[in-house]
Amino acid sequence: MTKFGSWGNLVKTEHQIEYLQDAYNLPETFNDFKEENKGSVLAVGNGRSYGDVCTNSGKKLLKTEFLAHIISFEPEKQTIECESGVMLKDLQRFLVPNGFMLPVTPGTQLITVGGAIANDVHCKNHHMFGTFGHHVESFTLARSDGEILRCSATENKELYKATIGGIGLTGVILTARLKLKPVCGPWINAENVPYENLDEFYQLAISSEANYEHTVSWIDCITGNGERGIFMRGNNASDPEYCTVDRNIKVPFMMPFSLVNRFSLFAFNKMYYLAQTMKSSKYKAHYEKFFYPLDNILEWNRIYGPKGFFQYQCVVPLDGGFEAIKEMQKVISESGQGSFLGVLKTFGKKEPAGLLSFPKEGFTYALDFPNLGAKTLKLFESLDAIVKNVHGRLYLAKDARQPKELFETGYGTELINEFVKFRDPAMSSDLSRRLLGF
Ligand SMILES: Cc1cc2nc3c(=O)[nH]c(=O)nc-3n(C[C@H](O)[C@H](O)[C@H](O)COP(=O)(O)OP(=O)(O)OC[C@H]3O[C@@H](n4cnc5c(N)ncnc54)[C@H](O)[C@@H]3O)c2cc1C
């Protein structure tokens, strides 16, 4: 047994760890399922989920890091096929010089393709491109009865929908074929616009959706009125002088990005000041800096100390959601908890790609909280009540503690019951035992 924990560092528990070496040579549990193996295994990628969706205490983890091969790249079809343990960073670094990007990647590229599908991750461009799952043409899935199924929108389509956002509970994703977005280089035409309150944020968010692919904002949760922030928006650069794959081009101006922790207040103030003095500041950003500002600081999660931290991420619908965000912001500011910066953005109308996909139309708000024990859990109860009141939901990739009742009202028992039909009986996680019974 080996101790393993997720990104939030809340707890490390004993696991039996097995490394998948070959997509077609799975452990015995996967050839001949027996009742005694019920809920015994879970596939994991890079463990960048914050809570217990990627842990399986006392049981087996199947790690995919050696399933890291690109199988085929077909530029004329704008697709790439790879094994599920390939990291998005490696894909992006291969694709960008070849004139493509993954259409949707989250705020870190240090995650695997399997993890991106299983949590159906989102980016700053949900209003235009939806989630990662919307760009998965097909994947192969190993089930514990020994079958390996190809799943797509036309083949095994129910299992396809259940596996996207299926939090690893429908089997082991072995390979995936992904659709790509053409780009002419690595640069983003980016702009930072400061705002003084959430009403200004709202106007910026609504007015930016038609013309900007990437939109996100940071809220300063500590200083001022707890409502000021910076709205960031951008598009992939297509101006001819930037249409190149030469990484050594000089960029005229690059904004500083830094940590989401105590150092970030300094960076935020500096950025806010710069943005203010320049009114709204436009600049060219390399995609790695623009999309994944924290990836340069390895293991920044340790800054919260041995008790770890939670990330609370909810989505609340347009109807009543904006008032709910304001209320949450007030409760958080008054509690004196939470890190310095929150991330606030909008999700568009896109139909969800998976049965249990997190995004739905509205506002999503994410904030880190150092684990202060009962005090922090008490604050979450207040936030849960606000989310529940407007029929919002919490993101399972970030969750470590939500009550079953909030999960059921947030995702809806009908959808959950539909999802459960596609579970592989061999798979379970600490989260599935907490919220789904096994
Ligand atoms: C700094 C940071 C920023 C982030 N920003 C965002 C963001 O902007 N948007 C967003 O959506 N998320 C974001 N996340 C969350 C992260 O993208 C997800 O948690 C992602 O799923 C982690 O991928 P992973 O490879 O580490 O998978 P893990 O965390 O190891 O596993 C995640 C889930 O995938 C399942 N899984 C993994 N591989 C397989 C497989 N081969 N077959 C079946 N199931 C599998 C696991 O069982 C588990 O349920 C962020 C995380 C960090 C640390």
Side-chain angles (χ1 to χ4, degrees):
M1 288 280 192
T2 310
K3 280 203 183 294
F4 176 83
S6 64
W7 189 246
N9 272 338
L10 288 164
V11 55
K12 278 193 169 37
T13 49
E14 299 285 353
H15 290 80
Q16 191 190 337
I17 294 188
E18 186 168 333
Y19 289 85
L20 290 176
Q21 302 286 348
D22 172 353
Y24 296 96
N25 187 11
L26 290 162
E28 217 174 296
T29 357
F30 267 78
N31 294 327
D32 181 18
F33 175 74
K34 295 193 184 68
E35 196 51 33
E36 73 244 32
N37 293 328
K38 186 168 174 191
S40 61
V41 293
L42 182 72
V44 282
N46 202 29
R48 293 284 159 147
S49 299
Y50 284 67
D52 55 1
V53 75
C54 63
T55 57
N56 197 19
S57 304
K59 296 169 191 273
K60 190 184 272 187
L61 289 182
L62 299 176
K63 295 203 84 185
T64 59
E65 67 188 69
F66 296 117
L67 301 184
H69 300 100
I70 291 178
I71 299 166
S72 68
F73 170 51
E74 295 182 88
E76 65 293 350
K77 291 189 181 159
Q78 306 194 353
T79 57
I80 192 161
E81 185 162 17
C82 64
E83 291 180 329
S84 63
V86 172
M87 300 272 260
L88 302 196
K89 180 176 184 171
D90 296 328
L91 282 182
Q92 293 281 68
R93 287 193 170 180
F94 169 75
L95 289 169
V96 172
N98 281 298
F100 292 97
M101 267 187 190
L102 296 167
V104 173
T105 56
T108 173
Q109 56 178 349
L110 302 176
I111 72 161
T112 63
V113 167
I117 297 174
N119 273 327
D120 192 17
V121 298
H122 56 269
C123 184
K124 301 170 174 61
N125 60 357
H126 182 269
H127 57 288
M128 289 195 182
F129 280 76
T131 54
F132 194 88
H134 285 111
H135 308 279
V136 176
E137 201 169 278
S138 65
F139 52 79
T140 53
L141 185 74
R143 303 272 294 180
S144 61
D145 57 8
E147 278 207 276
I148 294 180
L149 301 169
R150 182 160 287 277
C151 304
S152 69
T154 51
E155 213 176 339
N156 296 306
K157 57 182 184 200
E158 280 110 351
L159 196 51
Y160 170 77
K161 255 203 127 171
T163 301
I164 294 175
I167 48 175
L169 300 177
T170 61
V172 181
I173 301 161
L174 299 176
T175 64
R177 194 178 166 82
L178 308 173
K179 289 181 244 168
L180 304 173
K181 176 180 118 167
V183 294
C184 74
W187 302 106
I188 307 288
N189 280 331
E191 186 179 4
N192 290 346
V193 188
Y195 59 83
E196 278 301 328
N197 55 56
L198 292 176
D199 293 312
E200 279 182 33
F201 157 81
Y202 186 75
Q203 292 311 323
L204 277 165
I206 299 301
S207 63
S208 300
E209 287 202 347
N211 296 323
Y212 293 89
E213 179 185 332
H214 310 288
T215 61
V216 69
S217 96
W218 282 3
I219 300 191
D220 168 8
C221 298
I222 301 293
T223 56
N225 58 4
E227 290 199 7
R228 74 172 189 170
I230 295 178
F231 190 86
M232 285 164 264
R233 55 192 183 188
N235 288 309
N236 287 80
S238 57
D239 14 350
E241 66 273 34
Y242 287 93
C243 276
T244 169
V245 292
D246 182 355
R247 284 163 187 280
N248 297 320
I249 275 185
K250 278 239 172 308
V251 187
F253 183 62
M254 180 93 73
M255 292 302 288
F257 278 90
S258 193
L259 299 165
V260 182
N261 58 49
R262 70 189 84 143
F263 302 118
S264 60
L265 186 61
F266 173 72
F268 178 88
N269 278 331
K270 197 168 158 187
M271 202 152 99
Y272 188 78
Y273 172 76
L274 278 171
Q276 278 284 23
T277 49
M278 296 160 73
K279 293 302 170 205
S280 83
S281 60
K282 294 187 180 180
Y283 58 104
K284 284 274 186 305
H286 190 275
Y287 78 92
E288 290 197 341
K289 291 272 187 306
F290 184 77
F291 291 132
Y292 324 113
L294 295 176
D295 280 359
N296 281 343
I297 304 135
L298 292 177
E299 308 202 49
W300 59 260
N301 54 341
R302 289 190 181 177
I303 208 122
Y304 289 100
K307 290 191 182 145
F309 70 108
F310 295 91
Q311 186 172 102
Y312 193 92
Q313 182 171 1
C314 63
V315 57
V316 287
L318 289 181
D319 189 15
F322 190 58
E323 291 67 33
I325 296 283
K326 282 184 163 179
E327 204 182 331
M328 289 172 74
Q329 186 59 4
K330 189 163 170 271
V331 170
I332 293 166
S333 290
E334 282 170 4
S335 79
Q337 298 187 61
S339 63
F340 295 116
L341 298 181
V343 175
L344 179 59
K345 64 172 269 76
T346 45
F347 282 150
K349 286 188 198 320
K350 270 235 179 238
E351 278 296 305
L355 282 179
L356 289 189
S357 293
F358 165 67
K360 64 177 188 176
E361 191 180 14
F363 303 95
T364 180
Y365 186 42
L367 186 64
D368 292 346
F369 293 87
N371 176 17
L372 305 178
K375 194 175 155 192
T376 309
L377 296 175
K378 190 90 196 129
L379 169 65
F380 291 156
E381 281 176 24
S382 311
L383 301 181
D384 288 352
I386 299 170
V387 171
K388 187 170 171 220
N389 196 29
V390 291
H391 310 290
R393 58 169 70 137
L394 302 191
Y395 190 12
L396 299 176
K398 310 286 177 74
D399 181 37
R401 41 61 56 191
Q402 75 171 298
K404 194 164 183 262
E405 195 207 342
L406 180 60
F407 169 60
E408 288 173 353
T409 54
Y411 287 80
T413 40
E414 209 177 304
L415 270 187
I416 295 170
N417 291 340
E418 182 59 19
F419 168 74
V420 164
K421 290 184 202 157
F422 298 98
R423 276 192 71 174
D424 185 307
M427 318 295 293
S428 75
S429 62
D430 289 332
L431 180 140
S432 77
R433 284 187 283 285
R434 184 162 60 80
L435 299 177
L436 290 162
F438 92 89

